[in-house]
Amino acid sequence: MEAVREAERKHIAMEVHDELGQMLTALKMNVSLLEMQLANDSAAMHKVDEMRALVDKTIQIVRNVASHLRPVALNFGLASALEWLVDDFKRHTRIPCHLHIQGAEPRFSDARATAIFRIAQESLTNVARHAGASRVKITISRINSGVELRISDDGRGFDTVEAGAGYSYGLQGMVERARLIDAKLHIESAQHTGTVISIDVAED
Ligand SMILES: Nc1ncnc2c1ncn2[C@@H]1O[C@H](COP(=O)(O)OP(=O)(O)OP(=O)(O)O)[C@@H](O)[C@H]1O
Ligand SMILES: [Mg+2]
């Protein structure tokens, strides 16, 4: 199910990017043409300026939506994608978040990189929504069996047994994604101690 969903997201992301992107570019060109024809009508020019600003904003939103569905950065490897994710997280939450990659950048197949990325993404979304953290750290390091990714926050933490009994999609999705790529997922958390999500995975 996860693999199918991911393929679907990739498809929708490309569709949104290509189709909407192209139309918005055409719209922007028309606005520029209009601007040239209206050069001596200042009221109309003002409207045209507003239209241009709206088109630019819409282009930006389309880009953001597409990259949330399937970050272009993933095409350049997991490290770039995580950098993008961290920047995005910092911009939206204003919570300091540090990415540390120890040693050479790990090499993963697209399926593995995507799964790891999605786990990191859901972890950060949870931090933003639930943790009330003041710092977040993401590290990638070498371990005997491969690579370990850790996402830790210093927030309020939660009862993992209780959360596991619920039917929320986030943590369950992480477990499922990890299982699909033969990775080990650990969730360590308790009230008032912060949360550490870690995943051990072999390199391809
Ligand atoms: N980093 C965290 N800090 C504090 N609490 C957390 C953290 N991550 C998860 N939780 C707790 O675990 C619960 C389950 O998380 P999960 O991601 O499965 O669901 P959710 O975020 O509530 O909803 P969604 O299905 O949209 O992800 C959360 O509701 C929250 O109480
Ligand atoms: Mg969640």
Side-chain angles (χ1 to χ4, degrees), residues 107-108 112 116 145-147 181-183 200-204:
R107 297 184 171 279
F108 294 112
R112 280 215 162 115
I116 296 167
S145 51
V147 174
I181 58 165
D182 290 318
D200 298 354
V201 59
E203 250 176 311
D204 289 288

Side-chain angles (χ1 to χ4, degrees), residues 64-78:
N64 286 349
V65 168
S67 51
H68 268 279
L69 286 163
R70 157 84 197 183
V72 183
L74 257 179
N75 299 340
F76 303 101
L78 183 63

Side-chain angles (χ1 to χ4, degrees), residues 31 59 73 87 89 92 108 114 118 126 133 143 145 157 166 173:
V31 170
I59 289 175
D87 283 346
F89 174 84
H92 284 115
F108 294 112
T114 306
R118 291 295 181 203
N126 279 345
I143 50 169
S145 51

Side-chain angles (χ1 to χ4, degrees), residues 158 160 171 174-175 185-189 195-198:
F158 65 103
T160 53
L171 294 176
M174 285 188 205
V175 172
L185 181 85
H186 306 277
I187 303 173
E188 290 160 53
S189 190
T195 301
V196 181
I197 308 272
S198 64

Side-chain angles (χ1 to χ4, degrees), residues 82-101:
L82 290 175
E83 268 163 32
W84 172 82
L85 188 64
V86 165
D87 283 346
D88 195 57
F89 174 84
K90 286 194 292 198
R91 208 175 32 245
H92 284 115
T93 64
R94 308 262 155 216
I95 300 171
C97 180
H98 193 74
L99 172 68
H100 183 72
I101 296 170

Side-chain angles (χ1 to χ4, degrees), residues 122 126-127 129-131 153 156-158 163 168-171 195:
E122 173 58 22
N126 279 345
V127 173
R129 283 172 57 185
H130 310 295
D153 72 65
R156 66 175 60 91
F158 65 103
S168 48
Y169 176 72
L171 294 176
T195 301

Side-chain angles (χ1 to χ4, degrees), residues 5-53:
R5 276 201 201 101
E6 198 56 54
E8 215 164 66
R9 269 194 283 264
K10 194 170 179 176
H11 178 75
I12 296 171
M14 285 169 96
E15 201 88 327
V16 165
H17 177 269
D18 296 352
E19 300 284 330
L20 282 181
Q22 218 165 59
M23 285 192 184
L24 286 167
T25 305
L27 201 57
K28 194 174 165 162
M29 279 162 71
N30 282 343
V31 170
S32 293
L33 284 177
L34 209 56
E35 192 173 33
M36 284 195 267
Q37 286 174 14
L38 294 174
N40 37 28
D41 181 340
S42 70
M45 278 290 270
H46 184 66
K47 273 285 153 216
V48 170
D49 270 345
E50 280 178 12
M51 279 170 71
R52 183 211 300 286

